[in-house]
Amino acid sequence: MKTIIGLEVHVQLATATKLFCGCSTDYQDDNPNTHCCPTCLGLPGALPCLNKRAVEYGLRVAKALDMKVLEESEFARKNYFYPDLVKAYQITQDDRPLAVEGTIEIEDDQGHEKIVRITRVHLEEDPGRLVHVAGASKYSLVDYNRSGIPLLEIVTEPDMRSPQEARRFLNKLRTILEYLEVFDGDREGGLRVDANISLEGSERVEVKNISSYKGVEKALTFEVTRQRNLLRRGLAVARETRHFMEGRGITTSSRGKEEAHDYRYFPDPDLGPLRVAGWVAGIDLPELPTARRDRFMDQYGVSLNHARTLTGDLRLADFYEEIAGIDPVLAATWVADILLGELNYRAMGIAAVPPGHITELLDLLKAGTITDRAGVQVLREMLDACAEDRPCERPAAIIEREGLSRASGDEFTSLVRAVVAANPQAVEDYRNGKEGALNFLVGQVMKETRGRADPRELRRIVSESIKMGEV
Ligand code: ZN
Ligand code: MN
C-alpha cells in the first residue's frame, strides 16, 4: 500500500517586528502580554501596516525554491473563533498567495535524489498562545506576545512516500531557511507542521500542529500503522482531523475537518493588493545547501555523504570550511563521523567548539603524534570541559597531561611478551590459522596501552613475536 504524505509547514520569519505592527518579536524571555499594541490585540479601529521585511523574506524563500512569484497577491480574512485569535479572523493569503509552484530536492528512502513539489507559499499572522492550567479548577490563560508574528506557510504537493522522507524534507527545508537567514532554528515553536497522510485509495487524515521535527516522523509513523490496521480489519479510514499527543506518541480524533468555505474568506479591506513587480530580480541569494554540497565535493574531494552532512547545517558548514586546512578529507571524517556524534551525546552545538582546537588536533593526528584512538580521547576531554563551561583546554595540553602521545612499538615489547605468555590457547589458535585469535591478543595489549599504540603496528609486533617463538 503506497503511503502518500503532504505537508503544510508554518515557519516564523525572523523579522525584528511583527507582520502588521511595530511590536518586537523578541519576546521569548519576557512576561506574557508585554509585546502587544492595539493592532496585534485587534482593538477596534486599529489598522494593520504591512512589514516590508517580512515580504522580502517570503520572496527570498520563493526565489530559492524556484517559484513563480505573483506580481500582485492579496491578503484575506480567514474567519473563525478561537480565544487565541484576537480579531476572530486571521489575516492570511488565500486565492492569490505570494508565490506558487516550487521544488525542494531531498533524498528518498533508497538514497536517490527526488523532487518534492511546493504548491505555494503565503504570508499570514501567528495567533496568540493558550496556556492550559491544570488544577482543581482547570482554566486557560492567553498570551498575545505571539499574536501577529509573521508566518510563512509552505504547502507541498503530496509527494512524500514515508515518514522518513517527510523528516528529510523538513530538515532540508530548515537548512534552506537558515542559509537564507530568514529563520531562527533555535527558537522554540518556530516551525510547526500540519501533515496530510493517506494510504493509496483511502481517505486522507490531517494531523494538526506538530511542533517538532521528531514529532512529525513519530506522528506519521503512528498514522501509517493505525490506518493499515483499520484496512486490514476491513474498516474504512475516516476523513478527519487528528491531534498529535507528543508525550504519548499517538494521534487522537479531534473534530470534523472544516472546509475552505467554512472560513468565509474575503479580501481584507484594510490592506490593498501587494505588488512586488521587479522586487524579486533585485534579491541576491546566498549559496544554497545543494550548491554548497556539490562545491564541497569538488573543492575538498569529500564523499557525497560527508558533503551532505557537513552542509546540512549552516554553522557546521562554516565551521568545516574554517578547519578544512591542508587535509580536507581527514577534517571531514573527524567532523562528520566523530565530532558530531560526541556533540550530540553532550547535547552541545558546534558553536561551543573553538575551531583552532580542532585544527590543532588534526595537525597532531596528521603528524602521527597521537593515534586515532588517543585523538578521540583528547576530543572527549576537550568537549567535557567545554560542556561544563570549564576553560577549553588545548589538545596539546591534554596530550601532555594525560601522557597520550603515540608510543613506539619497542616500548611495548615486554608487554607483548607477557600477553603472549599468558594466553597460550590464543597463540595456539593463531598458529592454526585463526585470525580472530590475533585480534584478541592485540586487544589485550591495547587495553594496557590506553590507546597510545597504533593498532596496526601492534598487530605486526604481536604476530612477529609469536612467529619468533616458533623458531
Ligand atoms: Zn503590536
Ligand atoms: Mn496557516
Side-chain angles (χ1 to χ4, degrees):
M1 249 175 296
K2 194 154 102 179
T3 304
I4 300 164
I5 296 169
L7 301 176
E8 291 169 23
V9 187
H10 288 90
V11 171
Q12 284 186 343
L13 294 174
T15 53
T17 53
K18 293 185 178 181
L19 186 54
F20 296 116
C21 63
C23 291
S24 157
T25 57
D26 186 17
Y27 63 79
Q28 303 280 327
D29 300 323
D30 293 338
N31 285 325
N33 300 310
T34 54
H35 290 248
C36 304
C37 72
T39 299
C40 57
L41 287 174
L43 301 187
L47 290 172
C49 175
L50 181 60
N51 182 338
K52 190 174 175 186
R53 185 55 63 84
V55 178
E56 193 204 312
Y57 282 10
L59 292 176
R60 254 193 240 176
V61 175
K63 190 168 184 177
L65 304 187
D66 219 2
M67 302 187 75
K68 278 187 203 146
V69 173
L70 273 69
E71 291 211 346
E72 189 176 296
S73 66
E74 177 182 74
F75 286 99
R77 293 184 179 181
K78 180 182 184 180
N79 298 282
Y80 64 95
F81 173 77
Y82 206 66
D84 63 7
L85 190 69
V86 284
K87 306 184 294 296
Y89 63 81
Q90 179 191 32
I91 304 178
T92 177
Q93 300 191 290
D94 180 38
D95 278 344
R96 294 193 287 160
L98 198 61
V100 296
E101 291 175 33
T103 56
I104 288 184
E105 194 188 281
I106 63 162
E107 228 184 297
D108 68 14
D109 290 337
Q110 285 72 47
H112 302 129
E113 301 295 331
K114 79 175 263 183
I115 296 288
V116 174
R117 290 168 299 159
I118 307 300
T119 316
R120 57 183 276 157
V121 301
H122 69 253
L123 288 165
E124 62 185 32
E125 54 181 349
D126 213 348
R129 200 170 63 87
L130 291 178
V131 183
H132 302 290
V133 182
S137 60
K138 288 180 189 162
Y139 57 96
S140 296
L141 298 168
V142 59
D143 174 9
Y144 291 117
N145 281 348
R146 203 178 72 181
S147 171
I149 297 284
L151 295 178
L152 190 69
E153 180 170 335
I154 300 156
V155 183
T156 79
E157 293 291 312
D159 285 347
M160 283 150 278
R161 292 289 165 269
S162 71
Q164 293 71 33
E165 277 190 17
R167 170 177 45 81
R168 282 195 291 273
F169 172 83
L170 288 172
N171 280 334
K172 186 66 179 278
L173 175 63
R174 191 212 53 206
T175 309
I176 293 171
L177 296 170
E178 283 181 354
Y179 273 58
L180 293 171
E181 292 178 45
V182 300
F183 173 68
D184 174 5
D186 295 335
R187 189 178 254 211
E188 206 184 314
L191 185 147
R192 304 189 297 273
V193 179
D194 300 339
N196 289 298
I197 172 163
S198 63
L199 300 177
E200 196 172 28
S202 293
E203 285 292 353
R204 176 159 60 97
V205 168
E206 184 176 24
V207 186
K208 279 271 189 201
N209 241 328
I210 315 169
S211 59
S212 74
Y213 305 93
K214 274 187 201 147
V216 173
E217 189 177 356
K218 265 204 251 170
L220 289 172
T221 304
F222 177 86
E223 270 304 304
V224 170
T225 311
R226 186 186 71 84
Q227 294 182 20
R228 273 207 187 129
N229 286 342
L230 282 173
L231 297 175
R232 236 175 242 147
R233 280 156 42 209
L235 301 169
V237 176
R239 180 175 181 133
E240 62 179 350
T241 299
R242 296 179 70 86
H243 183 77
F244 180 54
M245 307 181 77
E246 186 102 49
R248 297 172 57 195
I250 63 168
T251 68
T252 55
S253 180
S254 51
R255 59 191 150 98
K257 177 155 170 51
E258 291 98 343
E259 301 289 334
H261 62 251
D262 294 325
Y263 290 118
R264 291 293 187 270
Y265 283 100
F266 64 87
D268 191 315
D270 291 339
L271 290 155
L274 171 60
R275 298 196 182 94
V276 298
W279 193 347
V280 187
I283 291 177
D284 286 323
L285 292 180
E287 186 183 35
L288 291 168
T290 305
R292 200 171 194 186
R293 180 199 69 194
D294 295 344
R295 177 168 66 78
F296 274 23
M297 290 163 63
D298 281 354
Q299 184 178 342
Y300 300 118
V302 302
S303 68
L304 173 62
N305 266 337
H306 280 164
R308 260 185 195 141
T309 306
L310 294 170
T311 56
D313 180 291
L314 178 60
R315 270 171 288 193
L316 186 67
D318 290 344
F319 182 90
Y320 171 72
E321 293 216 75
E322 231 182 301
I323 61 138
I326 46 164
D327 193 340
V329 174
L330 182 75
T333 306
W334 274 80
V335 173
D337 295 346
I338 301 165
L339 177 60
L340 268 191
E342 297 292 332
L343 286 174
N344 285 340
Y345 175 71
R346 290 169 181 76
M348 285 169 75
I350 191 73
V353 184
H357 285 43
I358 301 298
T359 308
E360 185 177 309
L361 179 65
L362 291 170
D363 287 346
L364 291 163
L365 286 160
K366 180 107 179 133
T369 312
I370 50 171
T371 62
D372 286 356
R373 236 177 91 150
V376 174
Q377 238 176 295
V378 171
L379 190 63
R380 286 180 180 158
E381 293 264 344
M382 204 176 87
L383 295 179
D384 283 343
C386 299
E388 290 162 21
D389 281 335
R390 284 185 275 136
C392 242
E393 214 176 349
R394 300 205 75 99
I398 297 172
I399 292 166
E400 168 91 34
R401 176 163 54 74
E402 302 283 318
L404 286 170
S405 53
R406 182 198 292 263
S408 72
D410 309 335
E411 224 182 282
F412 299 113
T413 316
S414 57
L415 190 58
V416 168
R417 282 206 195 106
V419 168
V420 167
N423 295 282
Q425 186 59 53
V427 172
E428 188 60 30
D429 288 348
Y430 177 56
R431 283 190 178 135
N432 293 330
K434 285 193 190 155
E435 278 294 309
L438 183 62
N439 293 339
F440 167 77
L441 291 166
V442 171
Q444 294 302 108
V445 183
M446 290 286 283
K447 246 194 236 165
E448 304 290 326
T449 64
R450 293 170 44 239
R452 289 169 56 227
D454 178 45
R456 260 171 312 175
E457 202 182 340
L458 269 190
R459 259 182 100 79
R460 183 180 55 76
I461 298 169
V462 173
S463 155
E464 271 171 12
S465 121
I466 291 173
K467 278 178 195 146
M468 265 155 54
E470 267 176 328
V471 190

